[in-house]
Amino acid sequence: MKKKILLIDDDDDILRSFQVILENKGFNILTAKEGVSGYELLVKENPDALILDIMMTSNLEGYNLLHQIKQNKEFSQLPIIIMTGMRDQMGVNLYSAVEDNELFPNVRFQDKPADPNEIADILNEMLK
Amino acid sequence: MDEKLIPSHVYFARWFIRIRWASIIVLAVSNYVVKRFFNISVNEIAIYIIVIILILLNIAHSYLIKTIANKRNSNIILQIKNEIHFQIFSDFLLLTAVIHFSGGIENPLVIVYYLHIIVSSSIYPLKISYLHTFFAILCYFTLIFFEYTGILPHYHLQGFTSPELYLNKLYILSYCFVFTLIAIIIASLSNRIISKSIKSEETYVKTNLELEKKEKIQNEYVQRVTHDIKGHLAAILSCLEVIKSKIKGDLNEVQEEFVLRAYERTEILTHFVKNLLNLTQKKLLNKIEYEEFSIQALINKIKPAIQILAKDKNISFEDYIEPGTNLIIANPYAIEELLMNLLTNAIKYTPPGGRVNLNIRNRYENILFEVSDSGIGIPPEDLPFIFDEFFRAKNAPKDFKYGSGLGLSIAKQIVDNHKGKIWATSELDVWTKICFTIPKKPTFD
């Protein structure tokens, strides 16, 4: 059975190319362009993992979404890959604070621009 | 714009106060001595009253200066200047009173007016120092005139000069003429001479502030632009990746060649933009977050990655930490990035079969890190510039396409942010050693 992955990113081109590459790697990819529809899709489809662009249109949108998801008990163990320019944006320390936070287990951070092949490897490892 | 405190104004204000304490003592003592030992008649009680007024005024002045200097308001220079105005005007009035009670035109103390004129013309524009000068002249002339016409009594310095001097028209006129002339000359001359250096100091401080501001605006601009470019590059890379990985069908040889060319150039550009963004953000960072960490633990963390890189090129890597060197308060992520940056650089520029060493030593308040290699070295003429942005040494191999010329600038910025020092020594074709120090504890200005 193909693993179902939800990909949330506001960049159309990233969304589409990641979808094609990851589908080729054997994943079933669902996409959403922003947080609200992303969360609806998450609840509806219950994917195996989530790939989230933390810096979506507004600076806090991605981070708030992450918080909202991890607050929900159903998704507290959901594997999440965060593609982030946050380290660039806010300095390394917020990154480490989020990483260290036990509220967010099963979360990986990937610097942007992320290589879709690397993302596929991380997904495979997290979904083992 | 908030002006930084220019020390010369405070300096003059304090200098005035100190001179005034000295003159208070001199005035009190000489008042006593002149009367008792030289039998010269002065109005002793009046002078003592003026001394008391001077003491109170001086206490008020020093309190005012202290309050203004401590507050460090944006208009501190204006406030200090106003305080000095107050000092000059009050001094002129009191000095005129002292002269009146101790002989009027007979008293050589008239020279004291010049002191204030010099200071005034040093720190104020010429117009204002002329105003002070004319105020001094007015005070003195009024006194002389009032004494001459009998509106004010004249206190003759008995036994010092001729008793009729204050009524001698010719003497008064020539005395006042010389006094006025010299006062004006002093005002204009010292304004020209002294104020030039003070004004250049003012300009220097202002220019520095403006430069800092401009650089900040420029850095913010670079940050915004590079961040936007990075987003587009990421999208281009992953779109090219779709074609390159031939998911949706094979490419002919030429198509593949050009996709690979485009991909590689985009990668190089992405690498460059990332470095530029990284450097700019470090420049804009105005506060590092410090924490205590173990250097040994940090080395253990980065060692596996370095060993893999070194092994790939058949380079031996060794590290040494001087015993007793362990804890440091710094930003662990920045130091990790710095060491990774220098060590990968060392491996990059060292031919296979060479060696790379990392030595960490205790140096009083600092930790000294030395990254040395048996690499291609740096030409002596390039050595002073290797930490400059976009600089690449002449002997850097052309096939290192990823070199952005920013790696060592980033390293230097990290060291600068920690208030450490970084330097390099090298022998062309033989070795390179890059050393940096990081204070064990953050030093704050």
Side-chain angles (χ1 to χ4, degrees):
Chain A
M1 203 7 219
K2 277 188 180 176
K3 295 282 186 190
K4 206 193 286 178
I5 313 291
L6 173 60
L7 178 59
I8 307 176
D9 196 315
D10 65 335
D11 187 320
D12 263 334
D13 298 321
I14 296 257
L15 209 57
R16 178 76 184 115
S17 52
F18 268 63
Q19 186 183 18
V20 173
I21 293 165
L22 292 175
E23 275 174 355
N24 182 58
K25 298 261 178 192
F27 298 104
N28 182 12
I29 304 291
L30 308 164
T31 60
K33 264 201 79 174
E34 37 74 41
V36 179
S37 62
Y39 192 74
E40 279 170 11
L41 208 57
L42 180 77
V43 174
K44 197 176 135 212
E45 295 285 340
N46 199 10
D48 297 298
L50 172 68
I51 301 171
L52 180 62
D53 184 342
I54 205 85
M55 281 293 162
M56 292 189 294
T57 29
S58 75
N59 279 359
L60 280 174
E61 198 184 328
Y63 184 75
N64 289 340
L65 181 62
L66 174 68
H67 198 78
Q68 193 188 354
I69 293 166
K70 285 293 177 183
Q71 291 278 306
N72 188 333
K73 272 195 187 126
E74 202 183 331
F75 302 120
S76 66
Q77 294 303 316
L78 178 74
I80 299 179
I81 297 174
I82 290 171
M83 299 201 289
T84 175
M86 198 156 61
R87 289 211 278 177
D88 295 341
Q89 286 289 300
M90 300 181 185
V92 182
N93 295 299
L94 179 63
Y95 162 78
S96 64
V98 176
E99 187 186 42
D100 292 341
N101 198 331
E102 289 184 351
L103 272 176
F104 300 140
N106 251 344
V107 173
R108 295 287 183 86
F109 289 85
Q110 195 61 24
D111 249 344
K112 281 207 292 193
D115 180 347
N117 296 311
E118 246 173 74
I119 296 285
D121 291 343
I122 297 172
L123 276 177
N124 281 325
E125 192 202 315
M126 289 181 93
L127 291 170
K128 235 189 268 176
Chain B
M1 192 181 77
D2 50 339
E3 279 179 291
K4 273 187 188 165
L5 179 65
I6 298 179
S8 46
H9 294 93
V10 180
Y11 171 80
F12 275 119
R14 292 202 173 125
W15 184 76
F16 254 156
I17 289 168
R18 256 177 254 138
I19 293 268
R20 202 172 293 111
W21 285 125
S23 25
I24 286 166
I25 294 164
V26 170
L27 191 61
V29 171
S30 59
N31 190 27
Y32 183 85
V33 170
V34 158
K35 181 92 181 181
R36 296 291 181 292
F37 298 99
F38 293 95
N39 274 330
I40 296 170
S41 68
V42 283
N43 197 328
E44 215 185 349
I45 292 165
I47 303 270
Y48 282 135
I49 290 171
I50 293 171
V51 166
I52 291 167
I53 295 173
L54 268 174
I55 290 173
L56 294 177
L57 256 178
N58 221 20
I59 292 170
H61 287 316
S62 35
Y63 173 76
L64 272 174
I65 294 286
K66 217 177 261 171
T67 320
I68 295 168
N70 284 346
K71 268 193 196 158
R72 292 188 169 255
N73 278 343
S74 53
N75 51 350
I76 182 159
I77 291 181
L78 186 75
Q79 289 180 342
I80 294 270
K81 278 186 173 176
N82 284 341
E83 218 289 322
I84 300 175
H85 270 307
F86 175 39
Q87 293 198 29
I88 289 173
F89 281 117
S90 59
D91 278 1
F92 280 162
L93 289 172
L94 286 168
L95 177 62
T96 312
V98 169
I99 291 173
H100 168 62
F101 289 114
S102 55
I105 200 158
E106 301 164 17
N107 194 329
L109 267 184
V110 64
I111 297 168
V112 178
Y113 285 112
Y114 295 151
L115 278 182
H116 291 73
I117 293 171
I118 291 173
V119 170
S120 152
S121 51
S122 316
I123 51 180
Y124 295 103
L126 195 56
K127 267 186 204 162
I128 293 179
S129 53
Y130 276 147
L131 179 79
H132 288 147
T133 309
F134 285 114
F135 184 71
I137 293 168
L138 183 74
C139 286
Y140 193 59
F141 279 21
T142 311
L143 175 70
I144 303 297
F145 180 72
F146 280 11
E147 285 189 10
Y148 177 77
T149 52
I151 297 171
L152 280 175
H154 175 70
Y155 300 97
H156 171 54
L157 289 179
Q158 215 165 29
F160 188 63
T161 53
S162 143
E164 301 303 318
L165 204 58
Y166 80 104
L167 292 172
N168 184 334
K169 227 188 263 174
L170 190 66
Y171 179 78
I172 291 173
L173 281 178
S174 54
Y175 199 96
C176 287
F177 175 72
V178 173
F179 175 75
T180 309
L181 191 69
I182 293 188
I184 292 170
I185 290 173
I186 286 179
S188 104
L189 256 188
S190 53
N191 182 274
R192 255 162 244 214
I193 299 166
I194 306 175
S195 73
K196 210 170 235 179
S197 69
I198 291 172
K199 270 168 199 152
S200 64
E201 193 185 346
E202 257 177 69
T203 323
Y204 174 75
V205 171
K206 263 187 197 157
T207 318
N208 250 4
L209 281 175
E210 270 164 32
L211 271 180
E212 273 172 29
K213 213 169 141 195
K214 258 189 196 159
E215 204 187 312
K216 192 167 175 267
I217 291 170
Q218 192 193 336
N219 281 331
E220 279 165 353
Y221 175 78
V222 173
Q223 170 170 308
R224 216 183 50 233
V225 171
T226 45
H227 185 258
D228 285 355
I229 294 175
K230 207 177 109 178
H232 295 301
L233 287 174
I236 295 172
L237 269 182
S238 66
C239 289
L240 284 172
E241 179 70 33
V242 174
I243 313 174
K244 195 181 82 141
S245 56
K246 304 175 195 169
I247 297 167
K248 298 290 169 188
D250 220 346
L251 304 170
N252 70 36
E253 208 176 295
V254 179
Q255 283 170 335
E256 188 174 10
E257 181 201 331
F258 281 95
V259 169
L260 287 177
R261 279 178 187 273
Y263 190 83
E264 195 184 332
R265 292 301 282 264
T266 316
E267 261 192 325
I268 292 169
L269 188 54
T270 308
H271 179 78
F272 176 79
V273 164
K274 270 179 100 172
N275 273 345
L276 188 55
L277 190 60
N278 183 346
L279 177 63
T280 314
Q281 263 141 6
K282 288 196 166 69
K283 278 188 189 169
L284 284 170
L285 189 75
N286 43 22
K287 212 179 92 205
I288 317 179
E289 291 188 22
Y290 289 94
E291 59 180 84
E292 190 179 54
F293 64 94
S294 147
I295 294 176
Q296 183 67 63
L298 178 68
I299 302 303
N300 292 344
K301 188 178 164 195
I302 63 170
K303 216 164 148 180
I306 295 300
Q307 275 166 337
I308 290 170
L309 284 174
K311 212 178 154 196
D312 279 351
K313 273 186 87 177
N314 190 25
I315 288 169
S316 74
F317 169 69
E318 272 167 37
D319 64 299
Y320 167 78
I321 302 182
E322 188 179 317
T325 314
N326 196 17
L327 294 178
I328 185 169
I329 301 175
N331 186 299
Y333 304 99
I335 303 296
E336 180 183 336
E337 185 185 349
L338 174 56
L339 282 171
M340 281 301 286
N341 175 328
L342 295 179
L343 287 168
T344 48
N345 232 16
I347 292 170
K348 194 161 102 180
Y349 291 105
T350 300
R355 51 143 201 94
V356 169
N357 289 70
L358 169 65
N359 292 323
I360 299 169
R361 297 172 206 280
N362 232 331
R363 282 289 179 273
Y364 310 103
E365 304 297 305
N366 300 299
I367 306 270
L368 169 69
F369 298 78
E370 299 172 333
V371 176
S372 52
D373 64 57
S374 62
I376 59 172
I378 301 162
E381 66 272 22
D382 285 352
L383 211 49
F385 308 108
I386 57 165
F387 297 106
D388 292 358
E389 283 157 43
F390 309 115
F391 182 82
R392 298 198 69 201
K394 279 186 216 61
N395 63 333
K398 295 280 178 290
D399 54 329
F400 289 170
K401 286 181 184 163
Y402 285 89
S404 57
L406 291 173
L408 285 179
S409 311
I410 293 172
K412 183 173 188 302
Q413 193 60 48
I414 295 174
V415 174
D416 284 352
N417 286 354
H418 282 86
K419 303 203 166 54
K421 286 196 178 75
I422 188 164
W423 65 95
T425 44
S426 179
E427 192 179 328
L428 190 57
D429 298 323
V430 187
W431 56 266
T432 300
K433 184 154 109 180
I434 298 201
C435 306
F436 66 90
T437 59
I438 299 286
K440 287 179 192 166
K441 277 186 236 162
T443 49
F444 298 104
D445 305 322

